[in-house]
Amino acid sequence: MFPVTRMRRYRINENIRDIFKETVIRTEKLIMPVFVDETEKDKREIDSMPGIYRYSLDSYEDYIKYLEEIGVKNVILFGIPAHKDSTGSSSYDRNGIIQRAIRIAKDNTRLNVIADLCLCEYTDTGHCGIIKDNYIDNDATLSIYQKEALSYADAGVDIIAPSGMMDGQVKAIREILDKNDYKNTIIMAYSAKFASNLYGPFRDAADSTPQFGDRKSYQMDYHNGNEAIREVDLDVKEGADIVMVKPGLFYLDIINRVKSIYKMPVATYSVSGEYSMIKNAIKSGLLNADARDEALTALFRAGSDLVITYFAEEYIKDH
């Protein structure tokens, strides 16, 4: 075939390379995480996540208006409550931090508002469910998730994102939403969420470090790929509208497998550890600034339709 086929013809200059670019990052497909803190009076930078802040409700309102102005279309909300207890009761309080944040966003912007649904920020144990005999009681936890989901829907949320990795959580949430005439509320399930080493900065951000043990009895073993597909399959059958793989860059093979098998929207959460590694490497000069875009492109090239990333604000502002 040589020299008839010369692959370098596709790369001869930037204009030509643009013609043949296979994967393009569309800004409307990026989701910006936002931490809203009931105990803050203004905003405070998270030490382990340069450029990312915890916001008081007042500063949060200004921030989401700014995000909309620069072109952000989607946010996912995480709450830090003033009160924590064994049942995570603040998670389903009508006037809880996330419920108020949802209403503020819906009243003041046209953003798509996603709310993470879990208990780790709201329990005094830092675990994602109700503890009985030093073990997460799966079914007791589901009833709390239902209350939380209903309170989010009442507040006007667009998408509910259950992240606790409890068996049956999607079915339980879909049933309570449909029963209360929230049939159009979308569920974005954290379907294949791995017990990863990349969550450390998030736990600083959300005050959600487990007070004992770890989350390996409910989050997935990172050695397992087939198990991830089974988890996704169950969520699809239970009524998930979007399935998710979390984390992102260490799990490109899982993203690709999920997208190949299920012809439905696939989200990826590029987690705090990924952000902090790339951000700090760029700041220190170890990586070129384009490493950010390369990392985001990899997630979409693997098959992601949506990407939750702490780089969303920065990327959209730059483009």
CSV table of all heavy atoms in Angstrom, one decimal, residues 102-134:
chain,number,residue,atom,x,y,z
A,102,ILE,N,-31.4,23.4,45.6
A,102,ILE,CA,-32.2,23.1,44.3
A,102,ILE,C,-33.2,24.2,44.0
A,102,ILE,O,-33.2,24.7,42.9
A,102,ILE,CB,-33.0,21.8,44.5
A,102,ILE,CG1,-32.0,20.6,44.6
A,102,ILE,CG2,-34.0,21.6,43.3
A,102,ILE,CD1,-32.7,19.3,45.1
A,103,ARG,N,-33.9,24.7,45.0
A,103,ARG,CA,-34.9,25.7,44.8
A,103,ARG,C,-34.3,27.0,44.3
A,103,ARG,O,-34.8,27.7,43.4
A,103,ARG,CB,-35.8,25.9,46.0
A,103,ARG,CG,-36.7,24.8,46.3
A,103,ARG,CD,-37.8,25.2,47.4
A,103,ARG,NE,-37.2,25.3,48.7
A,103,ARG,CZ,-37.1,24.3,49.6
A,103,ARG,NH1,-37.5,23.1,49.3
A,103,ARG,NH2,-36.6,24.6,50.8
A,104,ILE,N,-33.1,27.4,44.9
A,104,ILE,CA,-32.4,28.6,44.5
A,104,ILE,C,-32.0,28.5,43.0
A,104,ILE,O,-32.2,29.4,42.3
A,104,ILE,CB,-31.2,28.8,45.4
A,104,ILE,CG1,-31.7,29.3,46.8
A,104,ILE,CG2,-30.3,29.9,44.8
A,104,ILE,CD1,-30.5,29.3,47.8
A,105,ALA,N,-31.5,27.3,42.6
A,105,ALA,CA,-31.0,27.2,41.3
A,105,ALA,C,-32.2,27.2,40.3
A,105,ALA,O,-32.1,27.9,39.2
A,105,ALA,CB,-30.3,25.8,41.1
A,106,LYS,N,-33.3,26.6,40.6
A,106,LYS,CA,-34.4,26.5,39.7
A,106,LYS,C,-35.1,27.9,39.6
A,106,LYS,O,-35.7,28.3,38.6
A,106,LYS,CB,-35.4,25.5,40.1
A,106,LYS,CG,-34.9,24.0,40.1
A,106,LYS,CD,-34.2,23.7,38.8
A,106,LYS,CE,-35.2,23.7,37.6
A,106,LYS,NZ,-34.5,23.3,36.3
A,107,ASP,N,-35.1,28.7,40.7
A,107,ASP,CA,-35.7,30.0,40.7
A,107,ASP,C,-34.9,31.1,40.0
A,107,ASP,O,-35.4,32.1,39.6
A,107,ASP,CB,-36.0,30.4,42.2
A,107,ASP,CG,-37.1,29.6,42.8
A,107,ASP,OD1,-37.9,28.9,42.1
A,107,ASP,OD2,-37.2,29.7,44.1
A,108,ASN,N,-33.6,30.8,39.9
A,108,ASN,CA,-32.7,31.9,39.5
A,108,ASN,C,-31.9,31.6,38.2
A,108,ASN,O,-31.2,32.5,37.7
A,108,ASN,CB,-31.7,32.3,40.6
A,108,ASN,CG,-32.4,32.9,41.8
A,108,ASN,OD1,-32.6,34.1,41.8
A,108,ASN,ND2,-32.6,32.1,42.8
A,109,THR,N,-32.0,30.4,37.7
A,109,THR,CA,-31.2,30.0,36.5
A,109,THR,C,-32.0,29.0,35.7
A,109,THR,O,-33.1,28.6,36.1
A,109,THR,CB,-29.9,29.3,36.9
A,109,THR,OG1,-30.1,28.0,37.3
A,109,THR,CG2,-29.1,30.1,38.0
A,110,ARG,N,-31.5,28.7,34.5
A,110,ARG,CA,-32.0,27.7,33.6
A,110,ARG,C,-31.1,26.5,33.6
A,110,ARG,O,-31.3,25.6,32.7
A,110,ARG,CB,-32.2,28.3,32.2
A,110,ARG,CG,-33.2,29.4,32.2
A,110,ARG,CD,-33.3,30.0,30.8
A,110,ARG,NE,-33.9,29.0,29.9
A,110,ARG,CZ,-33.9,29.1,28.5
A,110,ARG,NH1,-33.4,30.2,27.9
A,110,ARG,NH2,-34.4,28.1,27.8
A,111,LEU,N,-30.3,26.3,34.6
A,111,LEU,CA,-29.4,25.2,34.7
A,111,LEU,C,-30.2,23.9,34.8
A,111,LEU,O,-31.2,23.9,35.5
A,111,LEU,CB,-28.4,25.4,35.8
A,111,LEU,CG,-27.4,26.5,35.8
A,111,LEU,CD1,-26.7,26.6,37.1
A,111,LEU,CD2,-26.4,26.2,34.7
A,112,ASN,N,-29.6,22.8,34.3
A,112,ASN,CA,-30.1,21.5,34.6
A,112,ASN,C,-29.5,21.2,36.0
A,112,ASN,O,-28.3,21.2,36.2
A,112,ASN,CB,-29.6,20.5,33.6
A,112,ASN,CG,-30.3,20.6,32.3
A,112,ASN,OD1,-31.5,20.9,32.2
A,112,ASN,ND2,-29.6,20.5,31.2
A,113,VAL,N,-30.4,20.9,37.0
A,113,VAL,CA,-29.9,20.7,38.3
A,113,VAL,C,-30.0,19.2,38.7
A,113,VAL,O,-31.1,18.6,38.6
A,113,VAL,CB,-30.8,21.5,39.3
A,113,VAL,CG1,-30.3,21.2,40.8
A,113,VAL,CG2,-30.7,23.0,39.0
A,114,ILE,N,-28.9,18.6,39.0
A,114,ILE,CA,-28.7,17.2,39.4
A,114,ILE,C,-28.4,17.3,40.9
A,114,ILE,O,-27.6,18.1,41.4
A,114,ILE,CB,-27.6,16.5,38.6
A,114,ILE,CG1,-27.8,16.7,37.1
A,114,ILE,CG2,-27.5,15.1,39.0
A,114,ILE,CD1,-26.6,16.4,36.3
A,115,ALA,N,-29.0,16.4,41.6
A,115,ALA,CA,-28.7,16.2,43.1
A,115,ALA,C,-28.2,14.9,43.4
A,115,ALA,O,-28.8,13.9,43.1
A,115,ALA,CB,-29.9,16.5,43.9
A,116,ASP,N,-26.9,14.8,43.9
A,116,ASP,CA,-26.4,13.5,44.4
A,116,ASP,C,-27.2,13.0,45.6
A,116,ASP,O,-27.6,13.8,46.5
A,116,ASP,CB,-25.0,13.7,44.8
A,116,ASP,CG,-24.3,12.5,45.4
A,116,ASP,OD1,-23.8,11.7,44.6
A,116,ASP,OD2,-24.4,12.3,46.6
A,117,LEU,N,-27.6,11.8,45.5
A,117,LEU,CA,-28.4,11.2,46.6
A,117,LEU,C,-27.6,10.1,47.3
A,117,LEU,O,-27.3,9.1,46.7
A,117,LEU,CB,-29.7,10.6,46.0
A,117,LEU,CG,-30.8,10.1,47.0
A,117,LEU,CD1,-32.2,10.2,46.4
A,117,LEU,CD2,-30.5,8.7,47.5
A,118,CYS,N,-27.2,10.4,48.5
A,118,CYS,CA,-26.5,9.5,49.4
A,118,CYS,C,-26.7,9.9,50.8
A,118,CYS,O,-27.4,10.9,51.1
A,118,CYS,CB,-25.0,9.4,49.0
A,118,CYS,SG,-24.1,8.0,49.6
A,119,LEU,N,-26.0,9.2,51.7
A,119,LEU,CA,-26.1,9.6,53.1
A,119,LEU,C,-24.8,9.9,53.8
A,119,LEU,O,-24.7,10.4,54.9
A,119,LEU,CB,-26.8,8.5,54.0
A,119,LEU,CG,-28.2,8.2,53.7
A,119,LEU,CD1,-28.7,7.1,54.6
A,119,LEU,CD2,-29.1,9.4,53.8
A,120,CYS,N,-23.7,9.7,53.0
A,120,CYS,CA,-22.3,9.8,53.7
A,120,CYS,C,-22.1,11.2,54.2
A,120,CYS,O,-21.4,11.4,55.2
A,120,CYS,CB,-21.2,9.4,52.7
A,120,CYS,SG,-21.2,10.3,51.2
A,121,GLU,N,-22.7,12.3,53.6
A,121,GLU,CA,-22.5,13.6,54.1
A,121,GLU,C,-23.4,13.9,55.3
A,121,GLU,O,-23.1,14.9,56.0
A,121,GLU,CB,-22.8,14.7,53.0
A,121,GLU,CG,-21.9,14.6,51.8
A,121,GLU,CD,-22.7,14.1,50.6
A,121,GLU,OE1,-23.4,13.0,50.8
A,121,GLU,OE2,-22.7,14.7,49.5
A,122,TYR,N,-24.4,13.1,55.5
A,122,TYR,CA,-25.4,13.4,56.5
A,122,TYR,C,-25.4,12.5,57.7
A,122,TYR,O,-26.0,12.8,58.7
A,122,TYR,CB,-26.8,13.2,55.8
A,122,TYR,CG,-26.9,14.2,54.6
A,122,TYR,CD1,-26.7,13.7,53.3
A,122,TYR,CD2,-27.2,15.5,54.8
A,122,TYR,CE1,-26.8,14.6,52.2
A,122,TYR,CE2,-27.3,16.4,53.7
A,122,TYR,CZ,-27.1,15.9,52.4
A,122,TYR,OH,-27.2,16.7,51.3
A,123,THR,N,-24.7,11.3,57.7
A,123,THR,CA,-24.6,10.5,58.8
A,123,THR,C,-23.4,10.8,59.7
A,123,THR,O,-22.4,11.2,59.2
A,123,THR,CB,-24.5,9.0,58.4
A,123,THR,OG1,-23.4,8.8,57.5
A,123,THR,CG2,-25.8,8.5,57.7
A,124,ASP,N,-23.6,10.6,61.0
A,124,ASP,CA,-22.4,10.8,61.9
A,124,ASP,C,-21.3,9.7,61.8
A,124,ASP,O,-20.2,9.9,62.3
A,124,ASP,CB,-22.9,10.9,63.3
A,124,ASP,CG,-23.8,9.8,63.8
A,124,ASP,OD1,-23.8,8.8,63.1
A,124,ASP,OD2,-24.5,10.0,64.8
A,125,THR,N,-21.6,8.7,61.0
A,125,THR,CA,-20.6,7.6,60.8
A,125,THR,C,-19.8,7.9,59.5
A,125,THR,O,-18.8,7.3,59.3
A,125,THR,CB,-21.3,6.3,60.6
A,125,THR,OG1,-22.2,6.3,59.5
A,125,THR,CG2,-22.1,5.9,61.9
A,126,GLY,N,-20.3,8.7,58.6
A,126,GLY,CA,-19.7,9.0,57.3
A,126,GLY,C,-19.9,7.8,56.3
A,126,GLY,O,-19.4,7.8,55.2
A,127,HIS,N,-20.8,6.9,56.7
A,127,HIS,CA,-21.1,5.8,55.7
A,127,HIS,C,-22.4,6.2,54.9
A,127,HIS,O,-23.2,7.1,55.3
A,127,HIS,CB,-21.3,4.5,56.5
A,127,HIS,CG,-20.0,3.8,56.8
A,127,HIS,ND1,-19.4,3.1,55.8
A,127,HIS,CD2,-19.3,3.7,57.9
A,127,HIS,CE1,-18.3,2.6,56.3
A,127,HIS,NE2,-18.2,2.9,57.6
A,128,CYS,N,-22.6,5.4,53.9
A,128,CYS,CA,-23.7,5.8,52.9
A,128,CYS,C,-25.0,5.1,53.2
A,128,CYS,O,-25.9,5.1,52.4
A,128,CYS,CB,-23.2,5.3,51.5
A,128,CYS,SG,-21.7,6.1,51.0
A,129,GLY,N,-25.1,4.6,54.4
A,129,GLY,CA,-26.4,3.9,54.8
A,129,GLY,C,-26.5,3.8,56.3
A,129,GLY,O,-25.7,4.3,57.1
A,130,ILE,N,-27.6,3.1,56.7
A,130,ILE,CA,-27.9,2.9,58.1
A,130,ILE,C,-27.1,1.8,58.7
A,130,ILE,O,-27.1,0.7,58.1
A,130,ILE,CB,-29.4,2.6,58.3
A,130,ILE,CG1,-30.2,3.8,57.6
A,130,ILE,CG2,-29.7,2.5,59.8
A,130,ILE,CD1,-30.0,5.1,58.2
A,131,ILE,N,-26.4,2.0,59.8
A,131,ILE,CA,-25.6,1.0,60.4
A,131,ILE,C,-26.3,0.1,61.4
A,131,ILE,O,-27.0,0.7,62.3
A,131,ILE,CB,-24.4,1.6,61.1
A,131,ILE,CG1,-23.6,2.5,60.2
A,131,ILE,CG2,-23.5,0.5,61.8
A,131,ILE,CD1,-22.8,1.8,59.1
A,132,LYS,N,-26.3,-1.2,61.2
A,132,LYS,CA,-26.8,-2.1,62.2
A,132,LYS,C,-25.8,-3.2,62.4
A,132,LYS,O,-25.4,-3.9,61.5
A,132,LYS,CB,-28.1,-2.7,61.8
A,132,LYS,CG,-29.3,-1.7,61.8
A,132,LYS,CD,-30.6,-2.4,61.5
A,132,LYS,CE,-31.8,-1.4,61.5
A,132,LYS,NZ,-33.1,-2.0,61.2
A,133,ASP,N,-25.3,-3.4,63.7
A,133,ASP,CA,-24.3,-4.4,64.0
A,133,ASP,C,-23.1,-4.3,63.1
A,133,ASP,O,-22.5,-5.2,62.6
A,133,ASP,CB,-24.9,-5.8,63.8
A,133,ASP,CG,-26.1,-6.1,64.7
A,133,ASP,OD1,-26.1,-5.6,65.9
A,133,ASP,OD2,-27.0,-6.8,64.3
A,134,ASN,N,-22.6,-3.0,63.0
A,134,ASN,CA,-21.4,-2.7,62.3
A,134,ASN,C,-21.5,-3.0,60.8
A,134,ASN,O,-20.4,-3.3,60.2
A,134,ASN,CB,-20.2,-3.3,63.0
A,134,ASN,CG,-19.9,-2.7,64.3
A,134,ASN,OD1,-20.0,-1.5,64.5
A,134,ASN,ND2,-19.5,-3.5,65.3
